[in-house]
Amino acid sequence: MSSEVAARRDAKKLVRSPSGLRMVPEHRAFGSPFGLEEPQWVPDKECPRCMQCDAKFDFLTRKHHCRRCGKCFCDKCCGQKVPLRRMCFVDPVRQCAECALVSHKEAEFYDKQLKVLLSGATFLVTFRDTEKPETMVCRLSNNQRYLLLEGDSHYEIEIARISTVQILTEGFPPGGGNARATGMSLQYSAPGAEGTTQLKLMAGEDANASRRQATAWLAAMHKATKLLYESRDQ
C-alpha cells in the first residue's frame, strides 16, 4: 500500500451536527466498521412527555434528545454526558441512562482492546488452501477497516467482509474459570472471488510474552466482533 493511499484512508475532518462536533473520516467509504450512524431525533411535536418517566414538558421541564437513541427525555432522565466514540463525537454528549450504560461499557473497548488490536500480535497463520502455517503479525489497520497480516507474505482482509469468527479454546485452568483462548478461525469473502475463504490464527506454544500478547489480542478481537455484529444489526 502506498503512503498516499494510506494517508487517504486515515484522513479525517471535523464536522458539526445537531448533536455536537464529530471527527469523521474525510472519505465516508473509509469509515470504521465499528461505527454507528447518528439516530433520527423523535420530532418535538411527537413527544409531549418524557419517554422514560412520563413527566410533562413545559417551561420548567425542558425536553432533551439522547444523542445515541434519539428519544426525548427530561433532564433528570437524560442528564449524563458520556463519551460516544462509536459516533466519533469529540466531546461527551447527552445520553439517557440506558444508552449511557452501554456507552460506558464500549469505552473500555476503545480505551483498552482497540489499542491491543492496533499493536498486533504474532500468530501461526493457515489459509484453507495451504497446509503449512506461516508466522505472521496480525493487527488492525489505523482506520479499523482491515486486518493486516504481515510476514513473508502480505494480506489485507476487509473487516466488513468477515462473515463468521470463532475463538478457539482449550482446557480449563485448575480451580475452574474460563477456557484459554489459543486461536481464531474466521471466514471472509475476498473481492472478486466466489464463496468464502477460511483463515486460522493460532498462538505459539511457548508460554512467553509473545503468547500472552496473542491471547490478549484474541480477547480484544472477540470484543470487536460483538461490536461489529451490533453495527450490522443497526
Side-chain angles (χ1 to χ4, degrees):
M1 185 199 318
S2 69
S3 58
E4 182 180 349
V5 173
R8 185 167 178 265
R9 284 183 177 181
D10 298 339
K12 295 183 181 296
K13 62 181 178 180
L14 190 65
V15 299
R16 181 179 293 279
S17 76
S19 299
L21 287 175
R22 301 172 66 215
M23 185 64 74
V24 300
E26 189 170 305
H27 302 279
R28 186 179 178 85
F30 296 142
S32 168
F34 306 117
L36 297 174
E37 295 293 334
E38 286 190 77
Q40 291 289 329
W41 285 8
V42 175
D44 287 348
K45 62 181 180 181
E46 294 182 12
C47 52
R49 295 177 177 273
C50 174
M51 301 178 77
Q52 177 63 40
C53 71
D54 203 38
K56 185 178 180 180
F57 295 126
D58 53 29
F59 181 75
L60 295 178
T61 305
R62 307 292 297 275
K63 67 180 60 175
H64 303 278
H65 286 86
C66 172
R67 270 50 174 175
R68 185 177 181 116
C69 67
K71 295 178 180 179
C72 285
F73 301 93
C74 65
D75 183 69
K76 180 180 178 180
C77 296
C78 192
Q80 298 186 65
K81 289 192 175 181
V82 180
L84 185 45
R85 304 274 288 277
R86 295 186 72 182
M87 291 185 189
C88 304
F89 285 109
V90 174
D91 300 310
V93 293
R94 187 183 293 271
Q95 297 179 55
C96 66
E98 182 177 351
C99 288
L101 181 61
V102 174
S103 294
H104 274 304
K105 291 180 179 179
E106 292 174 350
E108 181 180 357
F109 170 75
Y110 284 93
D111 293 336
K112 297 180 180 180
Q113 283 94 355
L114 183 58
K115 294 178 180 178
V116 173
L117 293 175
L118 293 171
S119 297
T122 302
F123 294 94
L124 296 175
V125 181
T126 306
F127 287 88
R128 181 172 57 184
D129 54 356
T130 62
E131 295 182 359
K132 185 178 180 180
E134 179 180 345
T135 300
M136 308 184 81
V137 173
C138 183
R139 66 179 181 86
L140 188 67
S141 64
N142 290 335
N143 62 10
Q144 306 165 23
R145 291 190 60 83
Y146 298 88
L147 280 184
L148 305 179
L149 301 170
E150 299 169 336
D152 293 336
S153 308
H154 176 84
Y155 297 92
E156 293 186 5
I157 300 173
E158 191 172 358
I159 294 291
R161 290 183 172 272
I162 297 176
S163 55
T164 60
V165 175
Q166 179 183 4
I167 301 298
L168 307 177
T169 61
E170 67 176 18
F172 291 89
N178 296 324
R180 181 164 57 99
T182 58
M184 178 178 71
S185 175
L186 60 85
Q187 290 186 327
Y188 66 96
S189 58
E194 295 184 2
T196 59
T197 299
Q198 185 173 2
L199 172 70
K200 182 183 290 186
L201 308 175
M202 296 299 297
E205 295 297 328
D206 296 334
N208 54 23
S210 178
R211 175 61 182 261
R212 292 193 296 271
Q213 185 178 11
T215 301
W217 195 94
L218 291 170
M221 188 62 191
H222 180 61
K223 177 67 174 180
T225 301
K226 291 183 178 180
L227 296 185
L228 179 62
Y229 291 153
E230 290 173 7
S231 298
R232 291 175 177 175
D233 294 339
Q234 186 189 35

